[in-house]
Amino acid sequence: GSPWNTAVDQDAVDPNSDTLIARSGAGGALHPDFGANWNGGPFGIPYVVIDSTIPAVPVTFTYADESDPGPYPVPDGAPIEGGNRSRGDRHILVVDRDHWMLYELFAAYPKGNGWKAGSGAVFDLGSNALRPGGWTSADAAGLPIFPGLVRYDEVVEQGEIRHALRFTVAQTRRGYVAPARHFASNDTDPGLPPMGMRVRLKATFDTTGFPPQAQVILAALKTYGMILADNGSDWYLSGAPDARWDDDQLNTLKQLRGGDFEVVQMGPVTTE
């Protein structure tokens, strides 16, 4: 099965958990990096669902040797993370529902009738295959981004998230563990978290009193946890923007601290 859809609530705790959590900021607050309104509009990592009628357009890459070559079926008006004028990560995520394919771009800028991007990756949604060892993706860990997003349709319409989520910390190690395939650090300190590290909310954490949207996310964090996928702010949890999010409910997640999580036992760390 897919590592994203694998429950880890019964897995052993990693022997180095306390150190790894401390180095990620045990006192730091969990921060939902998505919602309904910030700077006048919804924020998070957007995605667009297409069908087979969308034509593929040319894409060129800065890191072409670790990117899946174009063309990619990016539709006109595809949402860019942070908006068209963003100077941030500028991710574009495209889900082709007819072909069961996922196309992801990092640092995507319009170029001619297509795009120029830093890196890009194509994932077959009918397969659990990982990228080649050592390869990046549109994410520093070499993982797909879309499967790790908190999405409104799952939280509110289905009332359940059945997969792991994606998060960031500021300082990572020069190393990765499965399912990650790539690191983005020069620091070899074994106390720092490697890309692909999975944490879960401790089973003893009391979720009573949290509002409904937060409850669904907390349940997923206990069952599936969240996977370290990129360098960013500590304990930033990724989700998709939606004007219907209740930001007051989501903001209750900021009561959680890094110390409320534990590291799920990791496999071998790849450092080359």
Side-chain angles (χ1 to χ4, degrees), residues 5 30 41 77 87 102 130 135 149 169 214 245 250 264:
N5 303 114
L30 184 68
R87 296 199 202 114
L102 171 65
L130 302 175
W135 278 38
L149 298 179
V169 300
W245 283 121
L250 296 179
V264 177

Side-chain angles (χ1 to χ4, degrees), residues 58-207:
V59 187
T60 57
F61 295 104
T62 306
Y63 303 103
D65 57 330
E66 291 180 21
S67 294
D68 294 319
Y72 285 35
V74 181
D76 291 341
I80 301 167
E81 180 186 6
N84 293 340
R85 303 172 70 172
S86 168
R87 296 199 202 114
D89 284 352
R90 294 185 64 97
H91 286 112
I92 293 179
L93 315 184
V94 179
V95 180
D96 180 341
R97 66 180 178 220
D98 286 349
H99 294 118
W100 280 51
M101 298 295 286
L102 171 65
Y103 299 86
E104 300 191 334
L105 298 174
F106 164 70
Y109 290 86
K111 180 186 178 185
N113 66 335
W115 297 86
K116 176 170 177 52
S119 54
V122 181
F123 296 92
D124 178 349
L125 297 177
S127 162
N128 294 321
L130 302 175
R131 292 179 73 61
W135 278 38
T136 191
S137 59
D139 216 355
L143 295 166
I145 297 170
F146 176 75
L149 298 179
V150 180
R151 305 197 327 253
Y152 184 88
D153 60 302
E154 292 182 318
V155 171
V156 177
E157 291 164 14
Q158 297 173 23
E160 185 182 20
I161 298 171
R162 292 193 293 267
H163 57 80
L165 300 170
R166 173 192 186 274
F167 81 111
T168 62
V169 300
Q171 272 194 293
T172 56
R173 166 179 180 192
R174 183 186 168 87
Y176 63 87
V177 294
R181 308 301 274 163
H182 184 259
F183 50 71
S185 170
N186 292 317
D187 198 324
T188 57
D189 182 343
L192 289 172
M195 289 293 182
M197 179 183 82
R198 190 187 292 224
V199 301
R200 67 179 172 223
L201 184 58
K202 291 176 179 174
T204 53
F205 184 87
D206 185 1
T207 61

